[in-house]
Amino acid sequence: MLPRPLRLLLDTSPPGGVVLSSFRSRDPEEGGGPGGLVVGGGQEEEEEEEEEAPVSVWDEEEDGAVFTVTSRQYRPLDPLVPMPPPRSSRRLRAGTLEALVRHLLDTRTSGTDVSFMSAFLATHRAFTSTPALLGLMADRLEALESHPTDELERTTEVAISVLSTWLASHPEDFGSEAKGQLDRLESFLLQTGYAAGKGVGGGSADLIRNLRSRVDPQAPDLPKPLALPGDPPADPTDVLVFLADHLAEQLTLLDAELFLNLIPSQCLGGLWGHRDRPGHSHLCPSVRATVTQFNKVAGAVVSSVLGATSTGEGPGEVTIRPLRPPQRARLLEKWIRVAEECRLLRNFSSVYAVVSALQSSPIHRLRAAWGEATRDSLRVFSSLCQIFSEEDNYSQSRELLVQEVKLQSPLEPHSKKAPRSGSRGGGVVPYLGTFLKDLVMLDAASKDELENGYINFDKRRKEFAVLSELRRLQNECRGYNLQPDHDIQRWLQGLRPLTEAQSHRVSCEVEPPGSSDPPAPRVLRPTLVISQWTEVLGSVGVPTPLVSCDRPSTGGDEAPTTPAPLLTRLAQVTSQDKAPSVISRVLKKNNRDSAVASEYELVQLLPGERELTIPASANVFYAMDGASHDFLLRQRRRSSTATPGVTSGPSASGTPPSEGGGGSFPRIKATGRKIARALF
């Protein structure tokens, strides 16, 4: 099981449960269902009467499925009490799709594998479609018509329960493509009900009607846009007009609405990772909407500080408002206060959007502006940056989210403001990128199928743990009580953010690069390169226009160039896996053509900035048993001038140039590198 994140956003994560109130969280994989809570008391009393002996675990294969059997032998503390028989539990680990559906409709499953139905319904889109699943359910029911009546009735009752739970938990699954199979199920339920001499009951009839209402929904009334197409663009420097807490409330209102409308299953790595493939543009709309809002907030920050508005797509199609360094410093301070207010509102999404924008290359390099910022603002900014430090896989932000779910937000170390409550409510909006990262990482680390072709349902249980946490955070998010401010929302809607090329050019015009802006190269400590920055940053919801790897052009100006590869951990390598198979698998998992595996080489990064190229005939497993588990996957060198295993980046502290951070714009600045390192 992956490390427990927070944990936070949205982690999604490979993670376990969030502790609420006086309850003890229970891992869905151990029983209790999604979000199952165990009240202390009963188990403690039981443990006083008997002690637990070692556990025995083995696999059993049966009719297209593999079950993991766990046997626990409890020994009575009283030696005069006879030894009780072992207590065994049986859980489906893998199987064919047909076997999984049989297990879903088995009347014994709810008592022996309590989390199976919830995990299956939450993750089924990763390995089948809703119409196919409904069809297999109908096949199973029809196949039992020749069996004893009581078996058919019990299975039918389970099927109705599954459909009811499915509709309540995942109504978005029932689109128009499911109509044919729903007609088939309705016909079967009616026939079997009449054959038994009784109707299927109002509950079943209501269920079918509700399912049909999802299949043939009425067109919703779309809200009128606040900004009309002909309206002039908003002035990004007008952020100074609004109170920081009011702006933070409006950002939180928008973020909370998007998070509540998020469909957790769309965050699955197997779905989100394929969204850019041809014909998949319709996938994951709720995740895309959250990413768009994150990018919009980050873009608003960059446009405001630069004092520029885009009038077109070209690098020169920009309107720039002349600002002196002290004026830019006031804009920096305003956005830092907005981020602080978002932090007090427990809106981690906008906090990170603002922080990442202030750490981006176009803003981070503005030494004169940062030099005019107040010490208090810089201290607050530094503390906000620390929340999203990449150390230990963003452990601080994950732990902070867990704390926020349990109690009201504590004060920041350098905050002079008291947390507000009452009219604003006490909700929480996590940063979704953490969950997307965890799910993409989990998808890359685990196989979809076993060697015999069985669906690896253990992988789906781990994904379900992440999705369950998202669900719990969505319940927490309902605690907000915020009212819309149309003036602020109209301003946000009317902003026209700069493109990457535009923000780069404006930043260089504001403060031209020179000898006073020295580069700050830094060797990254990667784990494994699996993709490209632009591809993977977008896959987890990070605003790629704010992250660039630049170098001077021949004309003396700075211009973006091809981004460096992104890094992630090498996982699930067996002692039989040689370098070519590992390279091919990683490329395939990340939607790259595995046929070009021969163009890549696997490199182990050793202490002292040394490296070892893994030969094609070598077993990667044994390399991982050495002094370093850090690997680099890169294209084979085509020239002798390539510098192996080294990527440039700025200080990871997140401090602005005025506080000793620094580095020139041709290098990846603070959060650009921080975001990229932590994505996988």
Side-chain angles (χ1 to χ4, degrees), residues 157-176:
E157 290 176 358
V158 173
I160 293 174
S161 175
V162 169
L163 289 171
S164 299
T165 302
W166 193 356
L167 177 62
S169 302
H170 310 282
E172 67 280 352
D173 288 343
F174 298 92
S176 58

Side-chain angles (χ1 to χ4, degrees), residues 10-344:
L10 262 218
D11 204 288
T12 82
S13 70
V18 174
V19 179
L20 301 177
S21 184
S22 60
F23 294 95
R24 179 165 55 83
S25 172
R26 187 171 184 178
D27 192 327
E29 296 186 45
E30 298 174 354
L37 297 175
V38 180
V39 180
Q43 183 173 351
E44 293 178 358
E45 295 175 0
E46 182 180 37
E47 291 175 350
E48 293 177 357
E49 300 176 0
E50 51 189 25
E51 63 181 22
E52 186 174 351
V55 178
S56 299
V57 181
W58 66 91
D59 285 344
E60 293 180 352
E61 186 164 358
E62 174 187 304
D63 198 13
V66 176
F67 295 86
T68 297
V69 182
T70 303
S71 178
R72 292 178 173 86
Q73 177 64 64
Y74 293 87
R75 188 186 311 277
L77 296 178
D78 187 347
L80 299 179
V81 176
M83 182 73 72
R87 301 175 189 176
S88 299
S89 61
R90 196 165 181 258
R91 192 179 71 169
L92 188 143
R93 182 169 73 87
T96 64
L97 181 56
E98 292 76 9
L100 265 59
V101 172
R102 284 198 305 270
H103 192 63
L104 178 68
L105 300 182
D106 193 324
T107 56
R108 299 167 294 178
T109 299
S110 60
T112 60
D113 195 353
V114 292
S115 67
F116 178 81
M117 179 173 70
S118 297
F120 184 92
L121 295 178
T123 63
H124 79 277
R125 280 185 173 270
F127 53 86
T128 188
S129 65
T130 295
L133 178 52
L134 291 171
L136 288 172
M137 291 177 63
D139 291 343
R140 178 61 178 164
L141 293 173
E142 292 171 356
L144 293 176
E145 287 190 275
S146 59
H147 289 229
T149 303
D150 58 342
E151 181 180 0
L152 175 60
E153 289 181 350
R154 288 196 302 269
T155 305
T156 301
E157 290 176 358
V158 173
I160 293 174
S161 175
V162 169
L163 289 171
S164 299
T165 302
W166 193 356
L167 177 62
S169 302
H170 310 282
E172 67 280 352
D173 288 343
F174 298 92
S176 58
E177 71 278 3
K179 185 177 186 305
Q181 297 299 340
L182 285 176
D183 289 343
R184 184 181 171 194
L185 278 171
E186 179 183 26
S187 176
F188 174 83
L189 291 174
L190 291 173
Q191 291 175 6
T192 54
Y194 293 142
K198 57 184 178 181
V200 295
S204 300
D206 291 342
L207 171 63
I208 294 297
R209 282 196 294 269
N210 291 335
L211 288 171
R212 287 192 175 283
S213 69
R214 295 294 309 181
V215 171
D216 301 312
Q218 295 181 349
D221 294 330
L222 298 178
K224 296 180 180 179
L226 294 174
L228 299 176
D231 291 348
D235 185 344
T237 62
D238 279 350
V239 65
L240 296 173
V241 175
F242 307 115
L243 295 176
D245 57 338
H246 290 182
L247 178 54
E249 289 178 0
Q250 296 309 302
L251 293 176
T252 301
L253 182 66
L254 296 173
D255 291 338
E257 181 179 1
L258 289 170
F259 184 48
L260 289 173
N261 290 327
L262 176 78
I263 299 174
S265 62
Q266 294 181 3
C267 298
L268 288 169
L271 298 179
W272 180 241
H274 295 168
R275 72 199 181 286
D276 292 330
R277 290 184 175 182
H280 288 189
S281 59
H282 63 288
L283 291 179
C284 313
S286 67
V287 184
R288 293 176 189 268
T290 301
V291 172
T292 298
Q293 172 64 12
F294 184 99
N295 292 347
K296 179 178 290 187
V297 174
V301 176
V302 173
S303 296
S304 294
V305 177
L306 293 178
T309 299
S310 175
T311 58
E313 295 296 326
E317 297 180 85
V318 177
T319 299
I320 304 176
R321 183 171 180 172
L323 298 173
R324 293 178 291 106
Q327 294 174 309
R328 296 188 196 281
R330 303 295 81 78
L331 290 163
L332 290 171
E333 293 167 355
K334 186 55 172 277
W335 280 112
I336 291 172
R337 290 198 298 273
V338 170
E340 183 184 22
E341 291 290 342
C342 287
R343 166 67 188 90
L344 295 174

